[in-house]
Amino acid sequence: MDVLEAVNTGVGIIIGQRTHDGNIYRRSYDFLHKGIWGPIAFRGQNPKVNYGPLKNIEINFNKGNFELRSEGEHILEFDDPNLPYVDVLGIIAYTGEVPLSHFVVDNFIISNVSEPNNENLDVKAKGKTTVLWGEIKDR
């Protein structure tokens, strides 16, 4: 994912697992353009690495092994035995108590995905913001 602009916000990729009640934050990592937030459920697993603003975020995941790369450069790598698979993957943004925040991202690409237990991983556009915005603009 390319981070083209980020003002008063932390933007990046969330990757991890849902809990039994559907919570996506407790067992997921947030790889933000300015730092990483680890899962609430596994506080001891949080990587202690600081890095500056990234213009590109690439996450390589393989059975509990996470690697963060940016523009071809290795930033960090760690293992989390609590996450042998992931079922949460997306773009995430955090803002503080500010009157205005803004971000622009591009090239969110997912590749080399295997479908666990023959589950369908198709993206469903119905009800998504982009589709709704397009419908509004057509009116």
Side-chain angles (χ1 to χ4, degrees):
M1 177 176 85
D2 294 329
V3 180
L4 305 178
E5 296 177 35
V7 178
N8 294 329
T9 188
V11 62
I13 298 172
I14 183 171
I15 182 171
Q17 293 176 352
R18 295 179 194 282
T19 58
H20 66 280
D21 62 354
N23 186 303
I24 64 170
Y25 301 104
R26 293 194 57 76
R27 299 177 59 95
S28 295
Y29 285 93
D30 300 331
F31 291 88
L32 304 174
H33 76 291
K34 290 186 177 181
I36 182 172
W37 293 2
I40 297 166
F42 314 127
R43 292 203 187 273
Q45 293 296 116
N46 297 356
K48 306 292 187 218
V49 175
N50 294 320
Y51 49 84
L54 302 177
K55 293 180 181 179
N56 172 266
I57 300 171
E58 178 184 332
I59 309 298
N60 294 314
F61 173 81
N62 185 12
K63 298 179 183 175
N65 178 266
F66 292 85
E67 180 188 19
L68 170 63
R69 300 182 65 81
S70 180
E71 300 179 287
E73 180 183 331
H74 173 86
I75 306 296
L76 69 94
E77 186 172 0
F78 62 93
D79 291 312
D80 189 332
N82 300 297
L83 300 172
Y85 69 92
V86 295
D87 60 6
V88 171
L89 179 62
I91 297 171
I92 193 157
Y94 290 100
T95 61
E97 295 181 26
V98 295
L100 180 65
S101 63
H102 169 84
F103 70 91
V104 178
V105 297
D106 197 7
N107 298 321
F108 185 75
I109 299 169
I110 302 170
S111 61
N112 297 326
V113 175
S114 61
E115 296 182 21
N117 302 322
N118 296 322
E119 293 180 35
N120 185 343
L121 299 177
D122 292 344
V123 174
K124 294 164 185 65
K126 183 178 179 184
K128 302 293 188 217
T129 304
T130 304
V131 174
L132 295 174
W133 179 247
E135 291 172 0
I136 290 169
K137 287 181 71 175
D138 282 344
R139 290 183 188 169

